[in-house]
Amino acid sequence: MTTPPPHTDAIEHQSRLYEAYNELHGLAQELETPFDAPAVLVVGHQTDGKSALVEALMGFQFNHVGGGTKTRRPITLHMKFNPQCDSPLCHLISDSDSSVPLEKSLREVQEYIEAENMRLERETCQFSSKEIIVRVEYKYCPNLTIIDTPGLVAPAPGPKNRALQAQSRAVESLVRAKMQHKEFIVLCLEDCNDWSNATTRRVVMQIDPELSRTVVVSTKLDTKIPQFARASDVEVFLSPPASVLDGFMLGDSPFFTSVPSGRVGSGPESVYRSNDEFKQAISLREMEDVTSLEEKLGRYMDSVPLIIPLLEKEHRGTTRKLNDINQELSTLDEVKLKEKGRAFHDLFLTKLSLLLKGSVVAPPDKFGETLQDERVNGGALISIDGSQFPLKLIPNAGMRLYGGAQYHRAMAEFRFVVGGIKCPPITREEIVNACGVEDIHDGTNYSRTACVIAVAKARDTFEPFLHQLGSRLLHILKRLLPISVYLLQKEGEFLSGHEVFLRRVSSAFNNFAESTERSCREKCMEDLISTTRYVTWSLHNKNRAGLRQFLDSFGGAEQPANGGTDLSTSVQNTETRLADLLDSTLWNRRLAPSSERIVYALVQQIFHGIREYFLASAELKFNCFFLMPIVDKLPALLREDLESAFEDDLDNVFDITNLRHSLGQRKRETEIEMKRIQKLKDKFRKIHEQLSLHQIMTGQ
């Protein structure tokens, strides 16, 4: 047995890795578990050419393309490079049994996709998030997973278009859910000739605000080139300024594509007889686009003098970068690093305090949350019957808030929700079961019965709200960390390159927030337990006048019509009413309407007393024992943690060894970049001198 050469072994290992990732992605879909399996997610609007671009990338046609909505289920292609496959070898993963892939021809795959799209089009819910998974082995495809999503829709407003508006919301929800996977690279397709029209980017940037994992692609370039009248328009379109394209997109600038129209097949409507012809047409289309662009720009020599100042600017920028690296290398000593850490500690706490007190320095569209967003991300306040308080009744519900303003709104919602809770219904069976038997007589004690029922109802009703409020306020508080970091970065006060130190600060902050919330919730829980364990009438019975009026109605006899009734008759009537009341309550186990009403009235009084006490106590305690410790305890705790880390292991806190290595590597790369820029600058200057000399000699 011979040992294969190293490169063959490496290729084999790489192949197994891609195969494992493909299987992992399939398993994630089957179990609905978010494994971090990398993939390329294609996102765009209807008729942007998503499916056609995917086919062009693959080099073969398999999809259902055309005008209107065609793709109604995401289509996942697990591609694997196989030099033995001269034509695509396809396996369709069955929806019913994912362990048995079914070998299919390209035509069969296309027919299945078309049938699924048509089936969904006829159903009430016209889209499905369940992916159609196809495995492809081919000598001309890379090892890659690519997911084609349904096209986004931009419907017109008005009642006539409600169906299309509902379809638009369904598609956007599906696509947004897919983009939530942070391991996915997003291929954002735009069909426009003006980059200020952010049609697809508007949706993508809601999930990836900086476009840090997004590749922007302009489709149908061949249709846009004729629309430009001037060369400068073409240049702005091909290299848009940073002010137009926000963020730090992958690749630094957009990519441009053209895919020739026409389908592969043998019928009269087919344009290409084979996928090889289709690939050749793609290559020809690219050559034609390049030629058209060259004709539009048409000023190579005129650009030479303009390039030299640009290179000068790049050289100055690279020089500054190199100076910054050298400066940072010079600060990698113990004293200066401690000074940096302490300064960052103070600045971070300043930003934190600013956000709690109220500020507009962080953009609300990027960091703010509406109440609906807050409920989704931090948990909703849900009553025992599963209902939520209507958004429209909460002040500022639609505003994107953060910091102290968001905390105040959440607490206001808590007051609205809990303050409006009524006592849950009481059944006759609950009353009878709560009566029991006394230890000295067999009469019924309906005040005890009411207490038993009221405290049980109150505990079951209010305890979940403590956990929900704690979770919500903890979410709001933890959001202050990334916002503070953003502000520090914006003002140039961020410790870039010190990720280990920053993770330590972040961990200390989050641990403090979690432990503080837990401690505060436990204090609130003690109050709830005490007020639902022992009924104190002065606390629980807030409305005695109303209860007295209610009980006075139980006598059943009307007041005398005149004052002529003698005292003895009045006393006799009172004694009769009292005897009747005792007979129907204390001495009778049969639950009369009067007994039921008495218990119900007492339960209402006790429950509402508990509610008022719980509401006031919970709000006060979260303000005192959750919010205030951020102001008066967190600074000392962070400083203590910082100084302890400095004393124990400063090198690991700042990861000095790796940082010095990283800075050294960046310095070498920057020096190489400077040499390349200098070399290119000298070359263009020489060309410019030669061109100038030629013009002088020829008299041009």
Side-chain angles (χ1 to χ4, degrees), residues 352-583:
L352 208 61
S353 175
L354 181 67
L355 292 171
L356 284 174
K357 291 177 181 177
S359 169
V360 293
V361 289
D365 57 341
K366 183 175 182 179
F367 292 106
E369 282 186 334
T370 64
L371 185 56
Q372 182 60 37
D373 296 333
E374 187 181 313
R375 286 178 173 182
V376 171
N377 299 325
L381 298 175
I382 302 174
S383 298
I384 196 168
D385 61 356
S387 63
Q388 295 185 43
F389 205 77
L391 288 170
K392 62 183 179 181
L393 299 181
I394 305 294
N396 304 323
M399 293 189 178
R400 293 171 292 189
L401 305 181
Y402 55 75
Q406 189 177 10
Y407 180 95
H408 186 273
R409 182 180 64 188
M411 196 60 81
E413 183 188 5
F414 177 72
R415 286 196 300 272
F416 274 112
V417 174
V418 176
I421 290 177
K422 305 297 183 185
C423 181
I426 305 167
T427 66
R428 292 170 61 84
E429 287 180 339
E430 286 178 322
I431 296 175
V432 173
N433 277 305
C435 286
V437 177
E438 293 289 335
D439 58 357
I440 197 168
H441 67 88
D442 65 351
T444 51
N445 184 348
Y446 282 116
S447 62
R448 181 189 180 281
T449 299
C451 292
V452 170
I453 296 173
V455 297
K457 296 281 186 185
R459 176 75 177 268
D460 291 343
T461 300
F462 298 126
E463 183 176 350
F465 283 110
L466 274 183
H467 299 278
Q468 294 166 11
L469 179 64
S471 175
R472 175 79 74 82
L473 296 181
L474 181 62
H475 162 73
I476 292 170
L477 194 64
K478 282 187 171 182
R479 292 185 65 242
L480 299 181
L481 178 63
I483 302 175
S484 299
V485 168
Y486 165 82
L487 296 179
L488 291 171
Q489 289 174 326
K490 181 182 176 182
E491 297 172 11
E493 298 167 340
F494 187 67
L495 279 178
S496 57
H498 296 281
E499 283 76 14
V500 176
F501 172 78
L502 296 173
R503 281 199 299 270
R504 187 181 186 96
V505 174
S506 174
S507 177
F509 173 77
N510 287 328
N511 289 340
F512 177 80
E514 290 169 4
S515 63
T516 305
E517 184 274 331
R518 185 167 53 251
S519 173
C520 178
R521 182 161 33 86
E522 288 170 355
K523 286 181 172 65
C524 293
M525 195 65 204
E526 287 178 359
D527 275 359
L528 180 61
I529 291 172
S530 66
T531 196
T532 56
R533 184 175 183 181
Y534 189 82
V535 173
T536 305
W537 290 106
S538 61
L539 172 68
H540 292 74
N541 185 18
K542 295 293 186 182
N543 187 10
R544 297 187 183 187
L547 183 62
R548 184 178 296 111
Q549 183 181 2
F550 173 78
L551 292 175
D552 285 345
S553 67
F554 273 88
E558 297 181 355
Q559 293 293 328
N562 54 65
T565 305
D566 58 24
L567 181 62
S568 62
T569 304
S570 176
V571 172
Q572 184 179 0
N573 289 339
T574 301
E575 291 175 351
T576 302
R577 288 199 302 270
L578 180 59
D580 291 341
L581 184 61
L582 289 172
D583 185 57

Side-chain angles (χ1 to χ4, degrees), residues 231-246:
S232 58
D233 295 336
V234 180
E235 290 178 345
V236 171
F237 181 66
L238 296 179
S239 301
S243 59
V244 176
L245 286 177
D246 294 327

